[in-house]
Each structure stands twice: as C-alpha cells, then as structure tokens.
C-alpha cells in the first residue's frame, strides 16, 4: 500500500524544522561566551542617561552664559562706537565752527592777492586796455604789508613781555604763598611742640601725684595690716587654744561629747580606762588567734584526708579508663577488618568507571 503524504504532515515537519533551527540558534547564543549576555544593568544605564543629560544641560548653560556675554560685549561695543562717532561729529562741527569764526579767508596775509572784490575796492583806478597784469598798487600794498608785519612783530613782543611779566608775578606770588605756608607750618609745629611739652608736664605731675597717693595708700594698708597682725597674735596668745582651757573641750551636745577642734589629750582617768580597754582587747585577740589556729589545723587534716581519698579514686578511674581503652581498640580493629572486607567486595562488584560519554549527555538543552 502506497504511503500518502498529507499536507498536515508537511506543515508539522516544517514547524519541527523551524523549532529545531530556533533551538540550535538559541544554544549558540547561550553557550557562546562571546555572544551570551545575561541581563541588562538598568541602574547603570539610568545613571549614564542621567549623567549625559546633566552634561548636556551644563553645556547648554555654559553656551547660554557665553552667548549672554557676547551680547553684552556687542552692546557695549555698539555704545562705544556710537559715542565715538558722536564725538567725531561734534569735533568736526567744532572745527568747522572755529574756522568760520577765527579762520576766515579775509584774515589771511595773502588775501589781498586773491580777493575777488579787489577791483571793486580800488577807487578811481582803471586798467588800460592791453596792460593786463600791471600792479598799480604794489607800493601801497608793500607799505601796508610792512606796517602790518611791524605791528604784528610789536604785538608779539608785547605779548612775550606781558607773558614774562605775568609769569614773574605768578612766581613772586607763589614764593610769597610758599613763604607764608612755611611760616604757618613753623608756627603750627611750635604750637604742637609746646602742646606736647605741656601735655608731658601735666602727665608727669599726674603720675607723681598718683604715685604719691599709691605710696600713701600702701603705707596705710601696711600699717593697718601690722596692727591687725599684732591684735591677732595677742588674741591667739591669750586664747583658749594656747591656754589649754579644759572647758573648751565640752560640746554643746553634752558632757559625754568632746569638740575635736579643741581636744588637748585625755585626762588620767580616761587614760587608765583606755589602758584597761586595750588590755582587754589584746586578751580577746589572743583568744581569737588560738581558736583560729585550731580551726585551721582541723581544716588541714580534713583536706589531707580528702586529698588521699581523691588520689585513690583517681587511680581507680585510671584503671577503668585503661580497660575501656583496650575494649575500644579491639572494637575499632574489628570495624576496620569489616570496612576493608566491604571495600574489597564493592571493588569486585562495581567495575564500570564513568567515561566522557557519560558526562556529555548533561547540559545539552537550553531549556
């Protein structure tokens, strides 16, 4: 009977091949150290994104500050340029105004040679036809030029003399002012020195008065201290402490109590009573020492007997431990023989040793 291949079998075979190929690629990705990646560090990626954003923000802020500085510099440059242009325009305007006021063409020396109204100014003079270029007023012009030159020279000399005189007056005035200032400075210096001398004299008088007052006060204090010391010494010599007044030993609480700060020793009756009390204490101490010695001797005998009994018990325990050790050694030797026999039996039974084919069947799937 012929085998018929169905469409479903073909589709199943295609799906099976696809799954096999996908599983093979997955194994290559997982078992390859160069390709395999285990997870993604979200925190590190987030930190990198945060740092990149902070860096971009910092660069943007720096760029904004730089742009603001450039705009400010451009504004200042424009203001300075406008001010410079305004100053230039004002300067040109002042130059033109000065020229119009003080440098007119009619004030020049050679204006009479280039005056367009020269012919109109000449009264009654006519130039004959055919005599072009003849200067009829040359002598008058030269005389006027010489007179004008002489007047200018005289004016310049007067101005120089006037300037010298004014400078000399200024120098004299400066010398007078300087001499007056020097004399005033000397007077002020003398006044300052006199004030310092007066101040030093007043300070010296005050210091002398203060020193005399301090010396007097110290002498008075020393005299009062000497009087107080003498009074205190007299009181101490005549007081109850050095006079050994027996009445000062009595306390305010009663005759049975004494004042420690005023105690001067015991009376003969108290001394006799204290001696008898000491003798009684010595006898009681001797009796207590005898009793303690007898008690210590009894405790020593008891300790010796206890040590002897403990030594006997220790020897008995050592014998018992020796017997237990011998029994344990016998038991261990029997167990060792049994373990060796069992190991030899296992070596005879289990002869198959795992090879590389046994270990290669593990870790073959990616699931």
């Amino acid at each position: 009977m012929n085998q018929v291949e169905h469409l479903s079998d073909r589709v199943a075979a295609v799906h099976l091949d696809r799954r096999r190929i996908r599983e093979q690629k997955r194994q290559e990705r997982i078992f390859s150290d160069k390709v395999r990646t285990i997870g993604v560090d979200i925190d590190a990626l987030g930190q990198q994104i945060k740092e990149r954003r902070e860096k971009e923000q910092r660069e943007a802020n720096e760029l904004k500050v730089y742009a603001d500085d450039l705009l400010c510099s451009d504004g200042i440059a424009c203001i300075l340029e406008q001010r410079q242009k305004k100053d230039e325009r004002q300067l040109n305007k002042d130059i033109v105004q000065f020229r119009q006021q003080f440098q007119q063409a009619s004030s020049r020396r050679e204006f009479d040679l280039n005056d367009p109204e020269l012919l109109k100014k000449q009264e009654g003079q006519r130039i004959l036809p055919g005599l072009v270029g003849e200067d009829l007023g040359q002598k008058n012009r030269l005389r006027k030029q010489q007179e004008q030159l002489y007047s200018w020279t005289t004016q310049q000399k007067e101005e120089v003399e006037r300037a010298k005189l004014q400078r000399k007056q200024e120098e004299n005035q400066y010398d007078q002012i300087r001499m007056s200032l020097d004399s005033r400075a000397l007077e002020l210096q003398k006044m300052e020195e006199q004030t310092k001398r007066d101040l030093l004299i007043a300070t010296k008088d005050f210091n002398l008065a203060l020193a005399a007052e301090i010396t007097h006060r110290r002498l008075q204090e020393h005299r009062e201290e000497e009087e107080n010391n003498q009074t205190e010494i007299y009181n101490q010599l005549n007081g109850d402490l050095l006079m050994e007044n027996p009445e000062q030993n009595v306390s305010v609480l009663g005759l049975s109590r004494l004042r420690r700060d005023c105690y001067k020793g015991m009376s003969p009756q108290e001394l006799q009573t204290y001696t008898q009390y000491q003798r009684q204490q010595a006898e009681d101490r001797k009796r207590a020492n005898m009793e303690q010695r007898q008690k210590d001797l009894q405790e020593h005998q008891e300790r010796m007997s206890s040590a002897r009994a403990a030594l006997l018990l220790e020897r008995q325990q050592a014998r018992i431990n020796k017997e237990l050790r011998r029994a344990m050694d016998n038991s261990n030797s029997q167990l060792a023989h049994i373990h060796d026999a069992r190991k030899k039996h296992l070596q005879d039974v289990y002869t198959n040793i795992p090879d590389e084919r046994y270990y290669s069947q593990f870790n073959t799937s990616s699931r």
Side-chain angles (χ1 to χ4, degrees):
M1 188 175 184
N2 297 329
Q3 296 180 356
V4 179
E5 184 178 6
H6 295 283
L7 181 61
S8 60
D9 296 337
R10 186 181 301 173
V11 172
V14 170
H15 285 301
L16 184 62
D17 292 338
R18 187 179 299 169
R19 288 183 60 187
R20 186 182 298 108
I21 293 170
R22 187 164 57 248
E23 180 66 21
Q24 185 177 1
K25 291 182 179 179
R26 179 179 174 83
Q27 291 180 1
E28 290 178 356
R29 290 196 306 270
I30 292 175
F31 294 110
S32 178
D33 295 335
K34 296 181 179 179
V35 181
R36 182 179 63 236
T37 57
I38 302 176
V40 179
D41 192 355
I42 302 298
D43 297 335
L45 293 177
Q47 184 67 24
Q48 291 178 0
I49 293 172
K50 183 179 179 181
E51 292 177 356
R52 186 173 66 252
R53 289 178 180 177
E54 290 178 355
K55 183 179 179 181
E56 292 176 355
Q57 184 67 26
R58 187 166 57 253
E59 291 178 353
N61 294 333
E62 292 178 356
L63 185 61
K64 183 178 179 181
V65 172
Y66 180 70
D68 294 338
D69 293 339
L70 286 179
L71 291 175
C72 183
S73 301
D74 292 340
I76 294 172
C78 292
I79 292 172
L80 293 175
E81 185 178 1
Q82 292 177 1
R83 186 178 299 173
Q84 184 178 4
K85 290 181 179 179
K86 184 178 179 180
D87 294 339
E88 291 178 356
R89 288 196 300 270
Q90 185 65 31
L91 180 62
N92 294 329
K93 185 177 179 181
D94 294 339
I95 291 172
V96 172
Q97 186 177 2
F98 179 79
R99 288 177 179 175
Q100 290 177 358
Q101 292 180 0
F102 303 102
Q103 292 184 353
Q104 296 180 1
S106 59
S107 62
R108 298 178 182 177
R109 296 181 180 179
E110 64 275 6
F111 177 73
D112 56 349
L113 299 177
N114 300 318
D115 189 6
E117 303 293 335
L118 179 62
L119 297 177
K120 294 181 179 181
K121 293 179 181 179
Q122 293 178 357
E123 297 179 357
Q125 294 181 1
R126 297 290 183 271
I127 299 176
L128 297 175
L131 299 176
V132 181
E134 184 178 1
D135 190 3
L136 301 178
Q138 181 178 4
K139 294 181 179 180
N140 294 328
R141 186 177 67 255
L142 292 175
R143 181 175 55 78
K144 290 180 178 180
Q145 286 180 355
Q146 290 176 358
E147 292 177 354
Q148 187 176 10
L149 182 60
Y150 178 74
S151 63
W152 285 350
T153 306
T154 306
Q155 185 178 1
Q156 288 179 356
K157 289 181 180 180
E158 291 177 355
E159 290 178 356
V160 171
E161 293 294 335
R162 193 182 301 110
K164 288 181 180 180
L165 182 60
Q166 184 178 2
R167 185 166 58 255
K168 188 175 181 181
Q169 291 177 356
E170 290 178 355
E171 290 178 355
N172 294 330
Q173 186 178 3
Y174 174 74
D175 293 336
Q176 292 177 0
I177 294 172
R178 186 177 61 184
M179 290 176 65
S180 62
L181 291 176
D182 292 340
S183 60
R184 182 61 178 169
L186 290 174
E187 292 177 359
L188 293 175
Q189 186 176 3
K190 290 179 180 179
M191 292 173 63
E192 184 178 1
E193 291 177 355
Q194 184 64 30
T195 305
K196 287 182 179 180
R197 284 196 296 270
D198 296 340
L199 181 61
L200 290 175
I201 293 171
T203 305
K204 182 179 179 182
D205 295 339
F206 176 76
N207 291 333
L208 291 175
L210 184 61
E213 183 181 357
I214 292 173
T215 305
H216 179 70
R217 187 170 63 251
R218 287 181 179 177
L219 290 174
Q220 186 68 23
E221 292 176 354
H222 182 69
R223 191 179 300 108
E224 292 177 357
E225 186 177 0
E226 289 292 335
E227 293 178 356
N228 294 330
N229 292 335
Q230 291 178 3
T231 304
E232 184 178 0
I233 292 171
Y234 179 77
N235 293 331
Q236 290 292 336
L237 291 174
N238 297 325
D240 294 336
L241 180 63
L242 296 179
M243 297 300 291
E244 297 183 359
N245 187 7
E247 295 179 358
Q248 65 179 348
N249 296 337
V250 181
S251 177
V252 295
L253 300 177
L255 297 176
S256 60
R257 295 177 179 271
L258 298 177
R259 293 175 58 185
R260 297 181 181 180
D261 57 339
C262 297
Y263 185 70
K264 295 298 181 180
M266 294 184 295
S267 62
Q269 294 82 5
E270 292 175 351
L271 186 60
Q272 185 178 0
T273 304
Y274 180 71
T275 305
Q276 292 177 0
Y277 179 71
Q278 283 185 340
R279 290 176 182 176
Q280 185 66 27
Q281 282 185 344
E283 291 177 358
D284 293 340
R285 192 180 298 109
K286 187 181 297 183
R287 190 182 305 109
N289 290 333
M290 291 294 294
E291 293 176 357
Q292 184 67 29
R293 192 178 295 111
Q294 291 177 2
K295 187 177 180 180
D296 292 341
L297 182 59
Q298 185 179 358
E299 289 179 355
H300 179 68
Q301 292 176 357
E302 290 178 358
R303 284 197 299 270
M304 291 297 293
S305 60
S306 298
R308 192 178 297 108
L311 182 60
L312 294 175
L313 289 174
E314 186 177 357
R315 289 178 181 176
Q316 185 179 0
Q317 187 66 31
R319 287 195 297 270
I320 293 171
N321 291 334
K322 189 175 182 180
E323 292 177 357
L324 290 175
R325 183 66 182 175
R326 188 181 296 109
M328 188 181 294
D329 291 340
N330 294 329
S331 177
N332 289 335
S333 62
Q334 291 177 3
L335 290 174
H337 289 304
I338 294 171
H339 185 268
D340 292 339
R342 185 177 180 183
K343 185 176 180 181
K344 184 176 181 183
H345 175 69
L346 290 175
Q347 289 178 357
D348 294 339
V349 172
Y350 298 102
T351 58
N352 294 329
I353 300 174
D355 54 359
E356 190 65 28
R357 291 176 299 173
Y358 174 76
Y359 295 104
S360 63
Q361 63 183 346
F362 299 104
N363 199 16
T364 58
S365 176
S366 62
R367 302 296 176 181

